[in-house]
């Protein structure tokens, strides 16, 4: 397979690079003065597809390389000037065409009655900003911003709506340069119409201190900005929707926006029982986000061993969501406020298979489970950005929230060990959880005289309460554990309350040292306090654990920044941190620690790419949940027991990011390397009883984490589209103790994803894709069992515009799970389609008929890999149904 992939990559990346001629020239005005920075665009005359692009240098010269044979039209653009398009003929005998001076005239000058229009370039670099022309990427009528982002080279969106660009996580999404539904970018990307967007910009968002000082802080803050079209500004737009279908399926909602240069308003609301949680309106499917099939695997967790993969929501869901955002400009202040509500009711039937690895064999557990849950979330955010004067700025952000859920689960568990009888028991679990909290942050920055001299002060605080009431009834256990909180036959009650308080204050100062050097220093105080009160009660037994954990740090950091070349920088820092970890209550202990934490960053920018290297180090204390001695019971026998003897760990994390983009040859490549080494890491000591597994965190000497991601995309004129391929390799390695044996446990994953997109015409497209994922969990012992899972995803998505009144869209996925020992081979096909009828041409109202799960599989399968454990979960879904929805366009 690897050989075929290499051949495919060679063919796809090699075909568009064949060229016959170079074309050069010089752009001047009518007085023969050169015009640096002018854009020279070469389009194929037959269909106006982009062939080549160049920007003139400081002397006004340009060079178009590898121009294919044929007839082309050349456009030259420069602010305030214009020039008629020019036909260029390239023959097989041409090696170089010198065009000499290309004269431009002031805008408005009549050039033989030819009207000069703006050139459309799909992708371009403007300084450090990657800019996508939204209208150059066909997504079909009624598409959302999220649909548009999926089509942009280098951009990807996972099943939860999280956006990455060239492997880098997008931290925020702005609209016209302002936050919109801050803290929840999916609210805007999944609801704002793509047709309202003129440009999508991707850049490293500068902090206040970077803007005032002009110095890059070396921390990536990748941001998307959505530029609105002028015709959508200062007008109300959006739509109302109502739908009903077979099996009593329904949906309703509203999206109302008004965005201008001085204010923005957004109102969202939805209610449905078609498993669309939140505001997602990607209706043709049931794929990923809503129905849960073919979910993309994501790596998470920063502990000693775990590699975890995201589950998908299944079962029967009723969801209510609402969002309100308002932002405005008052004088020099930018004010943004938003409120969000989520309420979800779910019932679900699941089958869970687990393979729990240990050095000599594998324990297999099978769980049949019924669950019902109600969850909710309320959140209010406020943000104020105030320019106090031309030299100083104050930002204030605040939030209050209330999150909670109530869940009931009934599980029948079977545990199988080699050479032993199967252990069977039932667990009924009722869990109620409420989490109120709030956050407040103030950030003041001031430039002190000359450029580069800066003072910054930041205060950051948060408070949260977590109250969890648990009722567990167990029957059939053959062996009971004498650990408060473990599963025992009969009824047990737990009341767990945790109060968290965090506060940090720091002062930063930057002083320029000559033209290329800067000196930075920072002093910080922080405290992280958690108070836990855990109560356990069962027949004849009671236990209580009161524990307070406080992690207090005082630190000072200093460093030098060297600036060189064009926008390049090197930073070297060192932080001296004095820390205190104090436990009080049932366990009393106070320990002092001193750390030296080095750091470094290097950033090199070029016209067609960027390289960034960073090295960071940090010390962290164990969480209260890792210290408490009353365990929380698990549905399939997992017992998580705290360890008050835990000590802090220190983590060292290097990373390297490189990307290359030649937008005018439609080539985009990226490479991302990252890893970490954790000293005195928090690992796991795993002990097996006859029917349960006890996990106890311990300090181990080391833990490793590594990640490699690389990929790219290339435009292919022959299919009027692009080919992309992305690959990842990641893994965790660390010491684990299983039944007293101390060994290295290794978990890793490899994945390859490739797709071809083609635009059949302006309103029709086709996407074909394939993804292969392999996960391995093993111990270093050669005789130990190895758990391996392999999955394949094949998918195709299309949109066909038959007439201005009718449009058909569809998505077909075929997911293949290979046999994994503990779980058999399974294939899940899924087909969804939608037909749009638009009888109201001028108003834009339309009907959409959706068909979900046409193969009526009614099944969702997910596999996950964690430290020691590989799991497969099979859940019910909604099955086949039809839904007719009417959209009223405002």
């Amino acid at each position: 397979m690897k050989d075929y992939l290499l051949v495919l990559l060679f063919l796809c990346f090699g075909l568009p690079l064949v060229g016959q001629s170079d074309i050069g020239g010089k752009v001047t005005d009518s007085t023969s003065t050169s015009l640096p920075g002018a854009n020279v665009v070469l389009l194929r005359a037959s269909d106006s597809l982009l062939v080549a692009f160049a920007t003139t240098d400081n002397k006004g010269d340009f060079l178009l390389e590898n121009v294919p044979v044929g007839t082309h039209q050349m456009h030259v653009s420069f602010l305030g000037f214009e020039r008629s398009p020019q036909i260029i003929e390239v023959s097989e005998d041409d090696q170089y065409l010198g065009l000499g001076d290309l004269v431009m005239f002031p805008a408005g000058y009549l050039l033989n009655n030819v009207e000069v229009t703006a050139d459309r370039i799909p992708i371009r670099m403007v300084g450090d900003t990657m800019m996508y022309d939204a209208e150059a990427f066909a997504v079909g009528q009624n598409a959302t911003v999220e649909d548009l982002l999926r089509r942009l080279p280098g951009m990807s969106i996972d099943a939860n709506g999280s956006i990455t660009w060239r492997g880098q996580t997008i931290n925020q999404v702005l609209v016209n340069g302002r936050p919109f539904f801050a803290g929840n970018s999916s609210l805007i990307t999944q609801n704002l119409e793509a047709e309202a967007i003129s440009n999508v910009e991707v850049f490293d968002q500068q902090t206040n201190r970077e803007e005032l000082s002009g110095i890059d802080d070396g921390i990536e803050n990748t941001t998307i900005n959505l530029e609105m079209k002028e015709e959508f500004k200062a007008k109300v737009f959006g739509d109302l929707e109502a739908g009903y279908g077979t099996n009593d399926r329904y949906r309703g909602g509203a999206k109302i926006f008004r965005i201008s240069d001085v204010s923005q308003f957004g109102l969202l609301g939805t209610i449905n029982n078609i498993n669309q949680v939140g505001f997602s309106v990607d209706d043709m499917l049931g794929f990923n986000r809503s129905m849960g099939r073919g979910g993309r695997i994501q790596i998470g967790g920063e502990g000693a061993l775990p590699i975890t993969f995201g589950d998908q929501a299944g079962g029967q869901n009723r969801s209510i969501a609402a969002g309100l955002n308002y932002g405005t400009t008052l004088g020099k202040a930018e004010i943004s406020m938003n409120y969000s509500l989520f309420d979800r009711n779910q019932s679900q039937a699941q089958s869970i298979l687990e393979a729990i690895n240990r050095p000599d064999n594998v324990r297999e557990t099978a769980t049949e489970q019924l669950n019902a849950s109600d969850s909710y979330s309320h959140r209010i955010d406020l943000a104020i950005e105030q320019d106090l004067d031309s030299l100083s700025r104050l930002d204030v952000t605040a939030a209050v929230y209330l999150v909670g859920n109530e869940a009931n689960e009934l599980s029948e568990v079977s545990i199988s060990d080699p050479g032993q009888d199967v252990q069977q028991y039932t667990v009924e679990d009722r869990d109620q959880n409420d989490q109120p909290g709030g956050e407040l942050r103030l950030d003041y920055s001031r430039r002190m005289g000359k450029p580069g001299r800066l003072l910054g002060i930041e205060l950051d605080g948060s408070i949260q309460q977590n109250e969890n009431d648990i009722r567990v009834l167990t029957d059939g256990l053959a062996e009971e554990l004498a650990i408060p909180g473990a599963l025992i036959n009969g009824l047990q009650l737990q009341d767990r309350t945790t109060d968290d308080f965090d506060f940090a204050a720091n002062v930063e100062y930057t002083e320029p040292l000559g033209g290329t050097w800067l000196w930075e220093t920072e002093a910080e105080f922080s405290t992280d306090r958690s108070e836990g009160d855990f109560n356990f009660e069962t027949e004849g037994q009671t236990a209580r654990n009161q524990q307070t954990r406080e992690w207090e740090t005082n630190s000072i950091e200093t460093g030098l920044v060297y600036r060189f070349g064009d926008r390049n920088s090197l930073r070297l820092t060192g932080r001296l941190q004095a820390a205190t970890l104090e436990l009080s209550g049932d366990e009393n202990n106070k320990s002092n620690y001193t750390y030296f934490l080095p750091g470094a960053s290097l950033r090199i920018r070029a016209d067609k790419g960027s390289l960034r290297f960073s090295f960071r180090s940090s010390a962290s204390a164990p969480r209260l949940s890792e210290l408490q001695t009353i365990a929380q019971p698990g549905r399939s026998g997992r017992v998580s027991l705290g360890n008050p003897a835990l000590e802090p760990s220190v983590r060292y994390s290097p990373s390297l990011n490189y990307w290359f983009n030649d937008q005018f040859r439609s080539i985009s490549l990226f490479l991302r390397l990252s890893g970490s080494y954790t000293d005195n890491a928090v690992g796991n000591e795993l002990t097996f009883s006859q029917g349960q597994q006890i996990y106890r965190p311990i300090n181990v000497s080391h833990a490793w984490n590594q990640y490699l991601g690389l990929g790219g995309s290339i435009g292919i004129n022959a299919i009027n589209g692009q080919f992309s391929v992305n690959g990842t390799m990641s893994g965790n390695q660390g010491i684990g103790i299983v039944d007293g044996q101390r060994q290295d446990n290794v978990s890793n994953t490899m994945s390859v994803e490739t797709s071809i997109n083609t635009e059949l015409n302006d309103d029709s497209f086709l996407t074909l894709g394939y993804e292969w994922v392999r996960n391995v969990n093993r111990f270093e012992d050669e005789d130990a069992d190895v758990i391996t899972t392999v999955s394949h995803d094949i998918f195709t998505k299309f949109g066909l515009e038959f007439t201005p009144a009718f449009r058909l869209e569809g998505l077909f996925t075929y997911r293949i799970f290979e046999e994994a020992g503990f779980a058999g081979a399974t294939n899940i096909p899924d087909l969804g389609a939608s037909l749009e009828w638009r009888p109201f041409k001028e108003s834009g109202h339309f009907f959409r008929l959706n068909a979900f799960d046409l193969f009526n599989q009614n099944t969702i399968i997910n596999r996950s890999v964690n430290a020691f454990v590989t799991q497969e979960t099979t859940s019910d879904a909604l099955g086949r149904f039809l839904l007719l929805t009417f959209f009223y366009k405002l």
Side-chain angles (χ1 to χ4, degrees):
M1 176 178 175
K2 294 180 180 177
D3 293 337
Y4 290 133
L5 181 60
L6 290 174
V7 172
L8 181 61
L9 286 171
F10 174 79
L11 291 175
C12 292
F13 279 79
L15 280 174
L17 301 180
V18 176
Q20 296 295 325
S21 177
D22 292 345
I23 300 176
K26 183 173 184 176
V27 179
T28 71
D29 64 11
S30 57
T31 66
S32 298
T33 301
S34 61
L35 297 177
N39 292 327
V40 183
V41 181
L42 200 66
L43 305 177
R44 197 164 64 190
S46 59
D47 52 16
S48 297
L49 283 178
L50 182 67
V51 175
F53 175 86
T55 300
T56 59
D57 61 17
N58 292 334
K59 298 180 181 180
D61 296 325
F62 69 89
L63 180 65
L64 302 171
E65 299 177 302
N66 298 322
V67 177
V69 171
T71 302
H72 310 288
Q73 189 178 74
M74 187 174 68
H75 295 255
V76 183
S77 61
F78 189 80
L79 184 64
F81 290 82
E82 58 188 10
R83 175 183 169 84
S84 300
Q86 180 178 350
I87 298 298
I88 304 292
E89 295 281 354
V90 178
S91 68
E92 294 181 357
D93 297 330
D94 293 326
Q95 297 296 317
Y96 175 80
L97 294 177
L99 302 181
D101 291 346
L102 304 180
V103 181
M104 301 197 73
F105 296 88
Y109 190 89
L110 296 179
L111 301 174
N112 298 324
N113 296 321
V114 175
E115 181 182 357
V116 179
T117 59
D119 303 319
R120 168 152 292 151
I121 303 169
I123 314 172
R124 70 173 69 190
M125 284 295 297
V126 181
D128 291 336
T129 299
M130 177 69 74
M131 183 178 293
Y132 298 89
D133 184 342
E135 293 191 4
F137 299 90
V139 290
Q141 196 168 357
N142 306 314
T144 64
V145 167
E146 187 173 87
D147 299 318
L148 171 64
L149 296 181
R150 284 197 176 99
R151 302 294 306 279
L152 304 184
M155 200 83 69
S156 63
I157 303 177
D158 70 11
N160 299 313
S162 298
I163 308 170
T164 57
W165 183 68
R166 294 189 174 123
Q168 188 77 28
T169 300
I170 296 296
N171 295 316
Q172 61 178 331
V173 177
L174 309 176
V175 178
N176 292 341
R178 292 191 179 96
F180 201 14
F181 285 107
N184 196 335
S185 60
S186 62
L187 291 187
I188 190 68
T189 60
Q190 294 176 3
N191 291 278
L192 188 60
E193 297 175 2
E195 66 174 339
I197 305 302
S198 60
N199 292 300
V200 178
E201 302 169 349
V202 187
F203 55 93
D204 179 12
Q205 173 75 16
Q206 290 188 323
T207 65
N208 290 342
R209 292 165 198 180
E210 287 179 295
E211 290 183 7
L212 291 171
S213 68
I215 307 304
D216 190 334
D217 65 4
I219 300 174
E220 198 77 31
N221 183 25
T222 309
T223 299
I224 289 176
N225 181 48
L226 306 172
E227 282 293 330
M228 300 279 297
K229 294 177 181 177
E230 289 298 326
E231 60 265 33
F232 282 87
K233 291 182 179 180
K235 63 174 288 188
V236 176
F237 65 97
D239 61 54
L240 309 177
E241 62 185 66
Y244 189 77
T246 59
N247 303 332
D248 290 327
R249 300 297 167 194
Y250 62 84
R251 62 173 296 169
K255 298 180 294 182
I256 302 173
F257 300 97
R258 186 186 185 278
I259 301 173
S260 70
D261 291 331
V262 296
S263 66
Q264 56 190 23
F265 172 80
L267 175 63
L268 305 172
T270 182
I271 181 171
N272 71 81
N273 67 348
I274 59 174
N275 278 17
Q276 290 188 339
V277 180
F279 291 101
S280 173
V281 290
D282 196 0
D283 295 322
M284 29 170 235
L285 37 75
F287 180 56
N288 283 346
R289 183 175 51 255
S290 52
M291 301 293 281
R293 296 183 178 82
R296 170 168 292 186
I297 294 175
Q298 298 293 319
I299 299 168
E302 297 185 352
L305 296 176
I307 286 184
T308 59
F309 301 87
D311 282 338
Q312 299 294 328
Q316 313 284 319
N317 290 267
R318 187 275 300 146
S319 298
I320 299 175
L324 175 64
N325 177 269
Y326 178 72
T328 188
T329 301
L330 292 177
K332 296 182 179 180
E334 299 280 349
I335 301 175
S336 177
M337 298 171 286
N338 64 269
Y339 165 75
S340 60
L341 158 71
F342 295 93
D343 187 278
R344 175 183 175 189
N345 176 274
Q346 181 189 48
S347 61
Q348 189 176 26
Q350 286 185 313
S351 297
I352 303 169
L353 300 176
E354 287 184 336
I356 306 173
N357 213 343
R358 45 186 171 176
D360 52 352
N361 56 48
V362 173
R363 166 176 284 187
E364 296 183 2
T365 71
T367 305
E368 296 294 327
Q369 178 178 296
L370 298 174
N371 61 55
S373 64
D374 291 285
S375 57
Y376 65 89
S377 171
H378 301 268
R379 184 180 178 95
I380 300 175
D381 290 273
L382 170 67
I384 302 174
E385 299 179 4
Q386 172 74 53
D387 287 332
L388 301 178
D389 52 45
S390 60
L391 300 177
S392 60
R393 183 175 300 171
L394 175 66
D395 288 357
V396 180
T397 59
V400 292
Y401 56 86
L402 177 61
V403 179
N405 75 282
E406 183 174 350
N408 297 321
E409 297 179 352
L410 177 61
S411 304
E412 296 182 359
V413 183
S414 298
I415 296 182
S416 176
D417 287 299
Q420 298 185 20
D421 293 336
V422 175
Q423 167 75 188
Q424 293 182 320
Y425 56 87
T426 62
V427 180
E428 182 181 347
D429 184 0
R430 296 183 181 179
D431 191 341
Q432 183 172 347
N433 179 254
D434 294 290
Q435 298 179 39
E439 304 165 0
L440 177 63
R441 177 176 175 268
L442 293 87
D443 187 352
Y444 171 78
S445 302
R446 181 174 182 81
R447 193 172 72 188
M448 309 289 290
K450 63 181 180 179
R453 181 181 293 165
L454 186 75
L455 174 67
I457 302 173
E458 182 177 336
L459 303 176
D460 198 344
S462 67
I463 186 170
Q464 176 180 289
Q465 183 179 78
N466 189 342
E467 185 171 348
N468 199 11
D469 296 325
I470 303 172
R471 180 185 184 276
V472 180
L473 179 63
T474 308
D475 181 52
L477 278 174
E479 179 182 356
E480 297 184 358
L481 299 178
I483 298 175
L487 292 178
I488 57 174
N489 287 316
L491 177 66
Q492 66 165 292
L493 304 174
Q494 289 197 31
D495 179 10
R496 310 166 69 94
T497 302
T498 304
D499 293 303
D500 296 308
F501 172 74
D502 298 329
F503 175 76
N506 69 62
V507 178
E508 299 180 25
Y509 179 76
T510 303
E511 176 68 27
L513 305 175
T516 58
W517 288 92
L518 285 166
W519 171 61
E520 296 179 331
T521 188
E522 174 186 350
E524 182 179 68
F525 166 79
S526 69
T527 181
D528 174 4
R529 181 182 177 88
S530 297
E531 299 177 0
D533 187 355
F534 290 9
N535 294 275
F536 167 82
E537 179 182 344
T538 188
E539 298 176 1
Q541 295 186 58
T542 59
R544 185 179 186 184
N545 181 213
Q546 290 182 303
Q547 197 70 60
T548 297
R549 164 250 191 220
E550 185 167 8
W551 173 248
E552 185 175 294
T553 64
N554 290 276
S555 61
I556 184 167
E557 179 178 288
T558 188
L560 291 174
V561 180
Y562 173 64
R563 296 174 293 173
F564 61 97
D566 183 17
R567 301 168 297 162
N568 305 322
S569 64
L570 170 66
R571 172 183 274 102
L572 299 173
T573 63
R575 175 180 288 259
L576 185 64
Q577 179 172 295
T580 301
L581 177 61
E582 182 176 3
L583 303 182
S584 57
D586 290 356
E587 298 286 339
N588 292 278
N589 184 32
K590 185 175 183 179
S591 301
N592 297 317
Y593 304 90
T594 302
Y595 302 102
F596 176 72
L597 305 172
S601 67
L602 172 66
R603 181 166 185 172
I604 299 176
R605 302 178 175 105
D607 291 338
K608 294 184 178 181
S610 174
L611 182 144
R612 169 165 285 189
F613 169 81
S614 69
F615 177 82
R616 299 175 187 171
S617 53
S618 61
S620 59
R623 301 184 300 270
L624 181 63
S625 59
E626 296 172 321
L627 302 170
Q628 292 279 12
T629 56
I630 290 183
Q632 183 164 336
R635 62 189 177 193
S636 58
R638 179 182 176 119
V639 179
S640 298
L641 180 64
N643 179 8
L646 285 178
E647 294 184 351
S649 59
V650 181
R651 182 170 180 161
Y652 304 94
S653 305
S655 67
L656 175 69
N657 290 275
Y658 172 75
W659 64 263
F660 169 84
N661 187 81
D662 189 339
Q663 62 268 33
F664 309 111
R665 290 182 179 83
S666 298
I667 301 173
S668 177
L669 305 171
F670 75 87
L671 168 68
R672 186 176 187 190
L673 288 166
S674 64
S676 68
Y677 167 74
T678 305
D679 186 29
N680 204 33
V682 177
N684 276 304
E685 180 182 47
L686 176 57
T687 305
F688 288 84
S689 73
Q690 186 175 354
Q692 300 182 70
Q693 303 84 234
I694 305 114
Y695 287 82
R696 181 174 178 265
I698 56 170
N699 288 113
V700 297
S701 59
H702 70 266
W704 299 89
N705 170 277
Q706 55 277 337
Y707 173 86
L708 166 64
L710 70 165
S713 62
I714 186 166
I716 305 175
N717 289 338
I719 62 171
N720 191 24
Q722 72 173 20
F723 168 80
S724 65
V725 60
N726 297 288
T728 64
M729 292 189 299
S730 59
N732 290 317
Q733 178 179 349
I735 295 174
I737 301 176
V738 182
D739 283 341
Q741 297 187 48
R742 185 181 182 92
Q743 283 190 317
D744 268 7
N745 179 266
V746 178
S747 297
N748 57 61
T749 184
M750 294 179 61
S751 68
V752 176
E753 180 184 11
T754 182
S755 65
I756 294 178
N757 301 304
T758 177
E759 296 180 9
L760 306 177
N761 54 50
D762 289 344
D763 299 303
S764 302
F765 67 89
L766 173 66
T767 299
L768 302 173
Y770 168 75
E771 183 177 19
W772 170 84
V773 180
R774 180 177 183 266
N775 310 304
V776 177
N777 185 285
R778 61 184 172 84
F779 285 91
E780 286 296 283
D781 191 334
E782 294 181 356
D783 298 327
D785 288 24
V786 178
I787 302 176
T788 303
T789 69
V790 178
S791 65
H792 309 262
D793 284 302
I794 303 169
F795 60 90
T796 179
K797 180 178 179 180
F798 65 87
L800 300 175
E801 188 94 7
F802 295 112
T803 70
F806 287 96
R807 178 180 181 83
L808 176 66
E809 294 188 357
L811 176 64
F812 170 75
T813 66
Y814 192 64
R815 194 168 205 199
I816 303 170
F817 292 96
E818 294 186 8
E819 185 175 357
F822 74 103
T826 307
N827 302 329
I828 302 292
D830 184 26
L831 176 62
S834 71
L835 177 65
E836 287 186 5
W837 176 42
R838 299 188 291 270
F840 311 102
K841 296 181 181 179
E842 294 184 0
S843 61
H845 315 319
F846 65 97
F847 293 91
R848 179 182 291 164
L849 177 64
N850 292 281
F852 294 87
D853 194 10
L854 288 172
F855 294 119
N856 202 28
Q857 293 293 302
N858 194 30
T859 303
I860 298 170
I861 296 180
N862 285 285
R863 284 183 178 169
S864 63
V865 178
N866 298 276
F868 310 127
V869 181
T870 304
Q871 183 182 88
E872 176 177 285
T873 301
T874 303
S875 174
D876 65 330
L878 299 181
R880 181 193 301 135
F881 69 93
L882 301 177
L883 184 74
L884 179 64
T885 307
F886 175 64
F887 293 82
Y888 181 85
K889 208 170 194 65
L890 300 176

